[in-house]
Amino acid sequence: AQSVSQHNHHVILSEAASLELGCNYSYGGTVNLFWYVQYPGQHLQLLLKYFSGDPLVKGIKGFEAEFIKSKFSFNLRKPSVQWSDTAEYFCAVYLNRDDKIIFGKGTRLHILP
Amino acid sequence: EPEVTQTPSHQVTQMGQEVILRCVPISNHLYFYWYRQILGQKVEFLVSFYNNEISEKSEIFDDQFSVERPDGSNFTLKIRSTKLEDSAMYFCASTGGGETQYFGPGTRLLVL
């Protein structure tokens, strides 16, 4: 069955620390990969996406993610986090054949000022 | 920038009652979706809708659920007889045919 795994449920960092959130998926077909962010009390917003081409994709607010096909991974990174990055981050996979998105369970990120 | 909107933002209902959650997708989008997020759990796919019919649905989307596009702008999710376990945040999403789905702010449903 298709699934998306996010390795960390909670992450606490100090401002200026570097961030890496892990994401692995299990699906053998063509996928499109996303990271969504949900700030407290707000709705899901697209952070970045990968469809094809350069496996290193850059998103908004200094985030980037790298697609490693051999590892079925799409890890999110940011070199220096800010307090305003406190949010929940969801990795997601769009299954072309089934026309639906499967989400990971999310990683709650707390940045200490 | 166009946005997906949802109403109401919060709804409280008694078990067994019918609820209708409303969504206004982005105006030129053609594909519509409902997802739900039970508190503390992940976002789960419910149903996708295109060309006035359901194109895909999950096992969660049983006979108690239905979707409709009653006019050119609204996309609704109806829960016929709510259960306690239907309490969740319900998100609507739409896309113009690409794979990037744009999400609404959600409706928080509480079933008592």
Side-chain angles (χ1 to χ4, degrees), chain A residues 32 34 36 38 42-44 46 49 51 88 90 94 96 98-105, chain B residues 3 31 33 35 37 41-45 48 55-56 91 99-106:
Chain A
N32 297 303
F34 304 85
Y36 283 90
Q38 189 174 28
Q42 297 188 29
H43 59 100
L44 291 163
L46 182 66
K49 61 188 178 186
F51 287 176
E88 190 153 16
F90 294 92
Y94 174 77
N96 288 284
D98 300 328
D99 188 31
K100 64 182 179 184
I101 286 181
I102 295 180
F103 285 84
K105 289 189 175 181
Chain B
E3 290 183 336
Y31 298 80
Y33 306 82
Y35 293 81
Q37 185 181 25
Q41 299 186 26
K42 64 180 178 180
V43 179
E44 300 172 292
F45 168 79
S48 57
S55 48
E56 187 73 32
F91 293 102
E99 293 81 0
T100 302
Q101 295 181 15
Y102 294 89
F103 285 80

Short mmCIF file of all heavy atoms in Angstrom, two decimals, chain A residues 32 34 36 38 42-44 46 49 51 88 90 94 96 98-105, chain B residues 3 31 33 35 37 41-45 48 55-56 91 99-106:
data_model
loop_
_atom_site.label_atom_id
_atom_site.label_comp_id
_atom_site.label_asym_id
_atom_site.label_seq_id
_atom_site.Cartn_x
_atom_site.Cartn_y
_atom_site.Cartn_z
N ASN A 32 4.59 12.79 -7.83
CA ASN A 32 4.96 14.19 -7.66
C ASN A 32 5.01 14.43 -6.16
O ASN A 32 4.17 13.94 -5.41
CB ASN A 32 3.95 15.11 -8.31
CG ASN A 32 3.91 14.89 -9.81
OD1 ASN A 32 4.91 15.01 -10.49
ND2 ASN A 32 2.76 14.56 -10.34
N PHE A 34 5.61 16.84 -2.62
CA PHE A 34 5.31 18.17 -2.07
C PHE A 34 5.72 18.23 -0.60
O PHE A 34 5.72 17.22 0.10
CB PHE A 34 3.81 18.46 -2.13
CG PHE A 34 3.21 18.35 -3.50
CD1 PHE A 34 2.79 17.12 -3.99
CD2 PHE A 34 3.04 19.47 -4.28
CE1 PHE A 34 2.22 17.02 -5.25
CE2 PHE A 34 2.47 19.38 -5.54
CZ PHE A 34 2.07 18.15 -6.02
N TYR A 36 4.11 20.65 2.38
CA TYR A 36 3.15 21.67 2.79
C TYR A 36 3.48 22.10 4.22
O TYR A 36 3.98 21.32 5.02
CB TYR A 36 1.72 21.12 2.77
CG TYR A 36 1.10 21.01 1.39
CD1 TYR A 36 1.24 19.84 0.63
CD2 TYR A 36 0.36 22.06 0.86
CE1 TYR A 36 0.66 19.74 -0.62
CE2 TYR A 36 -0.23 21.96 -0.39
CZ TYR A 36 -0.07 20.80 -1.13
OH TYR A 36 -0.64 20.71 -2.36
N GLN A 38 1.81 24.14 7.67
CA GLN A 38 0.59 24.60 8.33
C GLN A 38 0.98 25.40 9.55
O GLN A 38 1.40 24.85 10.58
CB GLN A 38 -0.29 23.40 8.72
CG GLN A 38 -1.67 23.77 9.21
CD GLN A 38 -2.53 22.55 9.45
OE1 GLN A 38 -2.03 21.46 9.75
NE2 GLN A 38 -3.83 22.70 9.34
N GLN A 42 -3.73 28.20 10.84
CA GLN A 42 -3.89 28.50 9.43
C GLN A 42 -4.03 27.22 8.61
O GLN A 42 -3.91 26.12 9.12
CB GLN A 42 -2.70 29.32 8.92
CG GLN A 42 -2.58 30.69 9.59
CD GLN A 42 -1.53 31.55 8.93
OE1 GLN A 42 -1.25 31.42 7.75
NE2 GLN A 42 -0.94 32.45 9.71
N HIS A 43 -4.29 27.39 7.33
CA HIS A 43 -4.49 26.23 6.48
C HIS A 43 -3.19 25.78 5.84
O HIS A 43 -2.15 26.42 6.02
CB HIS A 43 -5.54 26.53 5.42
CG HIS A 43 -5.19 27.68 4.52
ND1 HIS A 43 -4.66 27.51 3.26
CD2 HIS A 43 -5.30 29.02 4.69
CE1 HIS A 43 -4.48 28.70 2.71
NE2 HIS A 43 -4.86 29.63 3.55
N LEU A 44 -3.28 24.68 5.14
CA LEU A 44 -2.12 24.13 4.47
C LEU A 44 -1.66 25.05 3.35
O LEU A 44 -2.45 25.47 2.52
CB LEU A 44 -2.45 22.76 3.88
CG LEU A 44 -2.70 21.64 4.89
CD1 LEU A 44 -3.42 20.49 4.21
CD2 LEU A 44 -1.40 21.18 5.50
N LEU A 46 1.43 25.46 0.29
CA LEU A 46 2.48 24.78 -0.45
C LEU A 46 3.83 25.45 -0.18
O LEU A 46 3.97 26.66 -0.36
CB LEU A 46 2.16 24.81 -1.94
CG LEU A 46 3.15 24.08 -2.84
CD1 LEU A 46 3.10 22.58 -2.57
CD2 LEU A 46 2.81 24.36 -4.31
N LYS A 49 7.61 21.93 -4.37
CA LYS A 49 7.14 20.74 -5.06
C LYS A 49 8.20 20.23 -6.02
O LYS A 49 9.05 20.99 -6.49
CB LYS A 49 5.86 21.04 -5.83
CG LYS A 49 6.04 22.12 -6.90
CD LYS A 49 4.72 22.55 -7.49
CE LYS A 49 4.94 23.66 -8.52
NZ LYS A 49 3.67 24.21 -9.03
N PHE A 51 8.29 17.86 -9.54
CA PHE A 51 7.60 17.10 -10.58
C PHE A 51 8.60 16.32 -11.42
O PHE A 51 8.42 15.13 -11.69
CB PHE A 51 6.79 18.03 -11.49
CG PHE A 51 5.56 18.59 -10.85
CD1 PHE A 51 4.77 19.51 -11.52
CD2 PHE A 51 5.16 18.23 -9.58
CE1 PHE A 51 3.63 20.04 -10.95
CE2 PHE A 51 4.02 18.75 -8.99
CZ PHE A 51 3.25 19.66 -9.70
N GLU A 88 3.68 23.16 11.51
CA GLU A 88 3.68 21.73 11.23
C GLU A 88 3.96 21.53 9.75
O GLU A 88 3.40 22.24 8.91
CB GLU A 88 2.36 21.07 11.62
CG GLU A 88 2.42 19.55 11.56
CD GLU A 88 1.43 18.88 12.51
OE1 GLU A 88 0.50 19.55 12.98
OE2 GLU A 88 1.61 17.68 12.76
N PHE A 90 4.21 18.97 6.45
CA PHE A 90 3.69 17.72 5.90
C PHE A 90 4.35 17.41 4.57
O PHE A 90 4.35 18.24 3.66
CB PHE A 90 2.18 17.82 5.67
CG PHE A 90 1.37 17.95 6.93
CD1 PHE A 90 1.05 19.20 7.43
CD2 PHE A 90 0.94 16.82 7.61
CE1 PHE A 90 0.30 19.33 8.58
CE2 PHE A 90 0.19 16.94 8.77
CZ PHE A 90 -0.13 18.20 9.26
N TYR A 94 1.70 12.96 -4.58
CA TYR A 94 0.54 12.89 -5.47
C TYR A 94 0.70 11.66 -6.35
O TYR A 94 1.72 11.49 -7.03
CB TYR A 94 0.45 14.15 -6.32
CG TYR A 94 -0.64 14.09 -7.38
CD1 TYR A 94 -1.97 14.26 -7.03
CD2 TYR A 94 -0.33 13.82 -8.71
CE1 TYR A 94 -2.97 14.19 -7.99
CE2 TYR A 94 -1.32 13.75 -9.67
CZ TYR A 94 -2.63 13.94 -9.30
OH TYR A 94 -3.62 13.86 -10.25
N ASN A 96 -0.28 9.95 -9.51
CA ASN A 96 -0.87 10.31 -10.81
C ASN A 96 -1.99 9.36 -11.20
O ASN A 96 -3.04 9.78 -11.67
CB ASN A 96 0.21 10.28 -11.89
CG ASN A 96 1.16 11.45 -11.77
OD1 ASN A 96 0.84 12.57 -12.13
ND2 ASN A 96 2.32 11.20 -11.25
N ASP A 98 -3.96 7.57 -9.39
CA ASP A 98 -5.15 7.58 -8.55
C ASP A 98 -5.69 8.97 -8.29
O ASP A 98 -6.72 9.11 -7.64
CB ASP A 98 -4.83 6.93 -7.20
CG ASP A 98 -4.38 5.48 -7.35
OD1 ASP A 98 -4.85 4.82 -8.30
OD2 ASP A 98 -3.56 5.02 -6.55
N ASP A 99 -5.03 9.98 -8.79
CA ASP A 99 -5.48 11.36 -8.62
C ASP A 99 -5.78 11.69 -7.16
O ASP A 99 -6.88 12.14 -6.82
CB ASP A 99 -6.71 11.65 -9.49
CG ASP A 99 -7.09 13.14 -9.48
OD1 ASP A 99 -6.19 13.98 -9.33
OD2 ASP A 99 -8.29 13.44 -9.60
N LYS A 100 -4.83 11.44 -6.29
CA LYS A 100 -5.01 11.84 -4.90
C LYS A 100 -3.65 12.07 -4.26
O LYS A 100 -2.64 11.61 -4.76
CB LYS A 100 -5.77 10.77 -4.11
CG LYS A 100 -5.06 9.44 -3.97
CD LYS A 100 -5.93 8.46 -3.20
CE LYS A 100 -5.27 7.09 -3.07
NZ LYS A 100 -6.15 6.11 -2.40
N ILE A 101 -3.69 12.83 -3.20
CA ILE A 101 -2.48 13.11 -2.43
C ILE A 101 -2.50 12.26 -1.17
O ILE A 101 -3.52 12.14 -0.50
CB ILE A 101 -2.41 14.60 -2.05
CG1 ILE A 101 -2.04 15.45 -3.28
CG2 ILE A 101 -1.37 14.84 -0.97
CD1 ILE A 101 -1.93 16.92 -2.97
N ILE A 102 -1.36 11.65 -0.87
CA ILE A 102 -1.20 10.96 0.40
C ILE A 102 -0.24 11.78 1.25
O ILE A 102 0.85 12.14 0.80
CB ILE A 102 -0.66 9.53 0.21
CG1 ILE A 102 -1.69 8.70 -0.54
CG2 ILE A 102 -0.35 8.90 1.55
CD1 ILE A 102 -1.25 7.28 -0.80
N PHE A 103 -0.66 12.07 2.45
CA PHE A 103 0.14 12.89 3.35
C PHE A 103 0.88 12.04 4.36
O PHE A 103 0.40 10.98 4.79
CB PHE A 103 -0.75 13.87 4.12
CG PHE A 103 -1.24 15.03 3.30
CD1 PHE A 103 -2.37 14.91 2.52
CD2 PHE A 103 -0.56 16.24 3.33
CE1 PHE A 103 -2.83 15.98 1.76
CE2 PHE A 103 -1.02 17.31 2.59
CZ PHE A 103 -2.14 17.19 1.80
N GLY A 104 2.04 12.52 4.78
CA GLY A 104 2.68 11.97 5.96
C GLY A 104 1.98 12.49 7.21
O GLY A 104 1.09 13.32 7.14
N LYS A 105 2.38 11.98 8.35
CA LYS A 105 1.71 12.34 9.61
C LYS A 105 2.09 13.72 10.09
O LYS A 105 1.49 14.24 11.02
CB LYS A 105 2.04 11.31 10.69
CG LYS A 105 1.36 9.98 10.46
CD LYS A 105 1.52 9.06 11.67
CE LYS A 105 0.72 7.79 11.45
NZ LYS A 105 0.79 6.87 12.60
N GLU B 3 -7.93 32.29 -3.93
CA GLU B 3 -7.83 31.35 -2.83
C GLU B 3 -9.05 30.45 -2.83
O GLU B 3 -10.12 30.83 -3.32
CB GLU B 3 -7.81 32.10 -1.49
CG GLU B 3 -6.53 32.87 -1.21
CD GLU B 3 -6.58 33.52 0.16
OE1 GLU B 3 -7.68 33.77 0.67
OE2 GLU B 3 -5.50 33.79 0.71
N TYR B 31 -10.72 20.45 -10.92
CA TYR B 31 -10.63 19.24 -10.11
C TYR B 31 -10.77 19.65 -8.66
O TYR B 31 -10.10 20.58 -8.21
CB TYR B 31 -9.27 18.55 -10.32
CG TYR B 31 -9.03 18.09 -11.73
CD1 TYR B 31 -8.63 18.99 -12.71
CD2 TYR B 31 -9.22 16.77 -12.10
CE1 TYR B 31 -8.41 18.58 -14.02
CE2 TYR B 31 -9.01 16.34 -13.40
CZ TYR B 31 -8.60 17.25 -14.35
OH TYR B 31 -8.39 16.85 -15.64
N TYR B 33 -11.34 18.39 -4.40
CA TYR B 33 -10.99 17.34 -3.45
C TYR B 33 -11.48 17.70 -2.05
O TYR B 33 -11.59 18.87 -1.70
CB TYR B 33 -9.45 17.18 -3.37
CG TYR B 33 -8.78 16.97 -4.70
CD1 TYR B 33 -8.48 18.05 -5.52
CD2 TYR B 33 -8.45 15.69 -5.15
CE1 TYR B 33 -7.87 17.87 -6.76
CE2 TYR B 33 -7.84 15.50 -6.37
CZ TYR B 33 -7.56 16.59 -7.17
OH TYR B 33 -6.96 16.41 -8.39
N TYR B 35 -10.40 16.51 1.95
CA TYR B 35 -9.52 15.80 2.86
C TYR B 35 -10.01 16.06 4.27
O TYR B 35 -10.70 17.05 4.52
CB TYR B 35 -8.07 16.30 2.75
CG TYR B 35 -7.39 16.01 1.43
CD1 TYR B 35 -7.61 16.82 0.32
CD2 TYR B 35 -6.53 14.93 1.29
CE1 TYR B 35 -6.99 16.56 -0.89
CE2 TYR B 35 -5.90 14.66 0.09
CZ TYR B 35 -6.13 15.48 -1.00
OH TYR B 35 -5.51 15.22 -2.20
N GLN B 37 -8.67 15.89 8.59
CA GLN B 37 -7.57 15.73 9.53
C GLN B 37 -8.16 15.62 10.93
O GLN B 37 -8.61 16.62 11.50
CB GLN B 37 -6.60 16.92 9.44
CG GLN B 37 -5.37 16.78 10.30
CD GLN B 37 -4.45 17.99 10.20
OE1 GLN B 37 -4.89 19.10 9.88
NE2 GLN B 37 -3.17 17.80 10.47
N GLN B 41 -3.78 13.73 14.06
CA GLN B 41 -3.47 12.71 13.06
C GLN B 41 -3.14 13.36 11.72
O GLN B 41 -3.15 14.57 11.58
CB GLN B 41 -4.63 11.73 12.93
CG GLN B 41 -4.94 10.99 14.23
CD GLN B 41 -6.00 9.93 14.06
OE1 GLN B 41 -6.19 9.41 12.96
NE2 GLN B 41 -6.67 9.60 15.14
N LYS B 42 -2.84 12.53 10.75
CA LYS B 42 -2.42 13.08 9.47
C LYS B 42 -3.62 13.46 8.61
O LYS B 42 -4.76 13.07 8.87
CB LYS B 42 -1.55 12.08 8.72
CG LYS B 42 -2.26 10.80 8.33
CD LYS B 42 -1.33 9.86 7.59
CE LYS B 42 -2.02 8.56 7.24
NZ LYS B 42 -1.13 7.63 6.52
N VAL B 43 -3.36 14.21 7.59
CA VAL B 43 -4.38 14.59 6.63
C VAL B 43 -4.71 13.37 5.76
O VAL B 43 -3.81 12.73 5.23
CB VAL B 43 -3.89 15.76 5.75
CG1 VAL B 43 -4.95 16.15 4.74
CG2 VAL B 43 -3.50 16.95 6.61
N GLU B 44 -6.00 13.08 5.61
CA GLU B 44 -6.41 11.89 4.87
C GLU B 44 -7.29 12.28 3.69
O GLU B 44 -8.20 13.11 3.82
CB GLU B 44 -7.23 10.97 5.77
CG GLU B 44 -6.50 10.47 6.99
CD GLU B 44 -7.45 9.72 7.92
OE1 GLU B 44 -8.33 10.36 8.51
OE2 GLU B 44 -7.30 8.50 8.05
N PHE B 45 -7.04 11.65 2.57
CA PHE B 45 -7.83 11.86 1.37
C PHE B 45 -9.23 11.27 1.55
O PHE B 45 -9.39 10.15 2.05
CB PHE B 45 -7.12 11.21 0.19
CG PHE B 45 -7.94 11.10 -1.06
CD1 PHE B 45 -8.11 12.19 -1.89
CD2 PHE B 45 -8.54 9.90 -1.40
CE1 PHE B 45 -8.85 12.09 -3.06
CE2 PHE B 45 -9.28 9.79 -2.57
CZ PHE B 45 -9.44 10.89 -3.40
N SER B 48 -12.12 12.73 -4.68
CA SER B 48 -11.80 13.68 -5.74
C SER B 48 -12.98 13.74 -6.71
O SER B 48 -13.73 12.75 -6.85
CB SER B 48 -10.52 13.27 -6.47
OG SER B 48 -10.62 11.97 -7.00
N SER B 55 -14.27 10.93 -9.06
CA SER B 55 -13.26 10.20 -9.82
C SER B 55 -12.49 9.21 -8.95
O SER B 55 -12.01 8.19 -9.44
CB SER B 55 -12.29 11.15 -10.52
OG SER B 55 -11.82 12.13 -9.64
N GLU B 56 -12.44 9.48 -7.66
CA GLU B 56 -11.73 8.59 -6.75
C GLU B 56 -12.26 8.83 -5.35
O GLU B 56 -12.58 9.96 -5.01
CB GLU B 56 -10.22 8.88 -6.79
CG GLU B 56 -9.35 7.91 -6.03
CD GLU B 56 -9.21 6.57 -6.71
OE1 GLU B 56 -9.24 6.53 -7.96
OE2 GLU B 56 -9.05 5.56 -6.00
N PHE B 91 -10.75 19.75 4.91
CA PHE B 91 -10.12 20.67 3.95
C PHE B 91 -10.64 20.38 2.55
O PHE B 91 -10.69 19.23 2.11
CB PHE B 91 -8.61 20.49 3.94
CG PHE B 91 -7.91 20.90 5.20
CD1 PHE B 91 -7.50 19.96 6.12
CD2 PHE B 91 -7.67 22.24 5.47
CE1 PHE B 91 -6.84 20.33 7.29
CE2 PHE B 91 -7.01 22.63 6.63
CZ PHE B 91 -6.60 21.67 7.54
N GLU B 99 -0.83 19.13 -10.86
CA GLU B 99 -0.91 18.31 -9.66
C GLU B 99 -0.83 19.11 -8.37
O GLU B 99 -0.96 18.57 -7.30
CB GLU B 99 0.22 17.27 -9.67
CG GLU B 99 0.08 16.23 -10.76
CD GLU B 99 0.55 16.70 -12.12
OE1 GLU B 99 0.99 17.87 -12.25
OE2 GLU B 99 0.46 15.90 -13.06
N THR B 100 -0.62 20.41 -8.48
CA THR B 100 -0.54 21.21 -7.26
C THR B 100 -1.94 21.55 -6.79
O THR B 100 -2.68 22.26 -7.47
CB THR B 100 0.25 22.50 -7.51
OG1 THR B 100 1.55 22.17 -7.97
CG2 THR B 100 0.36 23.31 -6.22
N GLN B 101 -2.29 21.03 -5.64
CA GLN B 101 -3.60 21.29 -5.07
C GLN B 101 -3.50 22.45 -4.09
O GLN B 101 -2.61 22.50 -3.26
CB GLN B 101 -4.13 20.03 -4.38
CG GLN B 101 -4.35 18.90 -5.37
CD GLN B 101 -4.89 17.64 -4.74
OE1 GLN B 101 -5.35 17.64 -3.60
NE2 GLN B 101 -4.82 16.54 -5.46
N TYR B 102 -4.45 23.36 -4.21
CA TYR B 102 -4.50 24.51 -3.34
C TYR B 102 -5.60 24.27 -2.32
O TYR B 102 -6.73 23.96 -2.68
CB TYR B 102 -4.74 25.78 -4.15
CG TYR B 102 -3.57 26.08 -5.05
CD1 TYR B 102 -3.52 25.56 -6.34
CD2 TYR B 102 -2.51 26.86 -4.60
CE1 TYR B 102 -2.43 25.79 -7.16
CE2 TYR B 102 -1.42 27.10 -5.42
CZ TYR B 102 -1.37 26.56 -6.70
OH TYR B 102 -0.30 26.80 -7.50
N PHE B 103 -5.24 24.42 -1.05
CA PHE B 103 -6.14 24.07 0.03
C PHE B 103 -6.86 25.27 0.59
O PHE B 103 -6.31 26.37 0.67
CB PHE B 103 -5.36 23.38 1.15
CG PHE B 103 -4.97 21.97 0.81
CD1 PHE B 103 -3.87 21.71 0.01
CD2 PHE B 103 -5.71 20.89 1.28
CE1 PHE B 103 -3.51 20.41 -0.33
CE2 PHE B 103 -5.37 19.59 0.95
CZ PHE B 103 -4.27 19.36 0.15
N GLY B 104 -8.09 25.03 1.02
CA GLY B 104 -8.83 26.03 1.76
C GLY B 104 -8.42 26.04 3.22
O GLY B 104 -7.63 25.20 3.65
N PRO B 105 -8.98 26.96 4.00
CA PRO B 105 -8.60 27.10 5.41
C PRO B 105 -9.18 26.02 6.31
O PRO B 105 -8.80 25.91 7.47
CB PRO B 105 -9.14 28.48 5.78
CG PRO B 105 -10.28 28.68 4.85
CD PRO B 105 -9.91 28.00 3.57
N GLY B 106 -10.13 25.26 5.80
CA GLY B 106 -10.69 24.17 6.58
C GLY B 106 -11.94 24.55 7.35
O GLY B 106 -12.19 25.73 7.65
#
